[in-house]
Each structure stands twice: as structure tokens, then as C-alpha cells.
Amino acid sequence: MPVPLGELRHDPGLGLPILDALAAGTPTLGEIEALPEMARHDFGTISRFVALLASANQAHPLAQPAEEGRRAAGRLNRAIARRMLVDESLVFLAAPTVGLGVGADVLERLVLAGLLTGQPMDVQPLGGFVADALRALGGAVFAEDGSPISDPEAMRPLVATKLAALLPQKLPLWQRLGLL
């Protein structure tokens, strides 16, 4: 793991099972400690590794915010999403389960903006929405050869292909964070 003074290395027997558990869901520290692979590690070692992941923004502790907090974050995120369609400087959305603003790249922001403003969770119409939004922002998608494509009709199939790969990976995370 890169750190300002170099790189921290960990025992793969410790780190890999924890990373696998985090990739599969939202385990508690107790659930991580109970993994069979953790039997040879004490709780202090496990919790320090998880704390290191959190400090490196690779993991975040989750909370169960009150329903009003979730609704407030949802209202804020919908307002931010509408503004993202005309202002590229907005890069964070409220994630109520971690109590932080979570950043996203341009494609992710436009996908989230589409979903938060009522676009269907289907790659074709959502891809069209994202392509139109990119065009309105003066953006482009890059073809395989690296050439920019700014025509929305030509962008749509490329964006849809990207979304087909992005959505299965990001949707569960966005839902865990409370963005959607």
C-alpha cells in the first residue's frame, strides 16, 4: 500500500481474506475476526489492518444513519446531480453511511446524475443520457485508437459498453454508501 514515505507491505494471509470479505459485502470487525483465515491473527492486528485500509481510503466504517439523514442526503444528492449536468466542478456526493462526501470521475458522476434524476437503470437509455450530458458539457468519449468522439450518436454505443462494465461493479458500492 503506497504511503507518503514509501510502501507498506502486509502478510497476504492477513490482507487478502480481509480484502475479499470487504469486496463481498459490509462485514463487521467481528465478522472479519471470525473468518477461518483470521484464526492465527489477534484482534489488534486485524483491526490495525482495517484502520490502515480506512486511512488509505480503501475502506470506510459504515453507520446506519437515521432515516431523516438518508432522506436529507438524497435530497442534497438529487440537487447536486441536477447541477452536475451544467457544472463540472462538482465532484462529490453525500454518502450517509460513511458520513463523507464521496468523489467520482466524470463518467461516474454523469451516471449517478442520471440515476438520481430518474433515468432507468438500463445501459441503453442511461448511455444516451450520459452521452447527451457529456456533449452538453463539451466532453467527448475516446475511441479505441484514442481519437475523441463528440457526436452523441457515435458516443452512445461506446458509453453503453462502458456502462455495461461499470454498473455491475459500482451499483452495489453506491447502494452501500447510500448514494442511491
Side-chain angles (χ1 to χ4, degrees):
M1 182 175 302
V3 294
L5 295 176
E7 185 175 277
L8 291 177
R9 297 180 188 270
H10 63 84
D11 172 3
L14 169 69
L16 294 179
I18 292 173
L19 293 172
D20 288 343
L22 291 171
T26 54
T28 64
L29 265 175
E31 291 167 340
I32 291 172
E33 181 186 29
L35 293 170
E37 302 91 344
M38 296 294 107
R40 66 184 184 97
H41 300 287
D42 63 79
F43 183 75
T45 300
I46 294 166
S47 62
R48 281 190 299 275
F49 183 79
V50 172
L52 179 64
L53 290 174
S55 69
N57 288 321
Q58 299 299 311
H60 292 283
L62 297 179
Q64 289 300 324
E67 190 53 38
E68 178 50 35
R70 280 186 177 276
R71 284 193 303 270
R75 287 189 304 271
L76 175 62
N77 284 340
R78 285 187 298 280
I80 291 170
R82 286 188 300 274
R83 187 74 184 153
M84 282 178 167
L85 298 174
V86 295
D87 183 352
E88 290 183 84
S89 69
L90 296 172
V91 297
F92 294 96
L93 289 163
T97 62
V98 293
L100 297 170
V102 176
D105 66 26
V106 173
L107 179 62
E108 292 171 354
R109 288 194 312 266
L110 293 177
V111 169
L112 283 163
L115 294 173
L116 288 166
T117 57
Q119 291 296 313
M121 203 173 303
D122 180 306
V123 296
Q124 295 305 321
L126 188 56
F129 172 86
V130 170
D132 291 342
L134 270 172
R135 177 73 174 124
L137 290 169
V141 174
F142 294 93
E144 297 266 334
D145 65 2
S147 61
I149 298 173
S150 58
D151 172 46
E153 291 305 316
M155 289 169 69
R156 282 187 173 93
L158 291 172
V159 171
T161 299
K162 289 180 183 289
L163 293 185
L166 178 98
L167 289 175
Q169 177 189 17
K170 292 294 184 168
L171 278 175
L173 173 63
W174 292 339
Q175 289 166 334
R176 283 192 305 242
L177 292 172
L179 297 174
L180 298 174

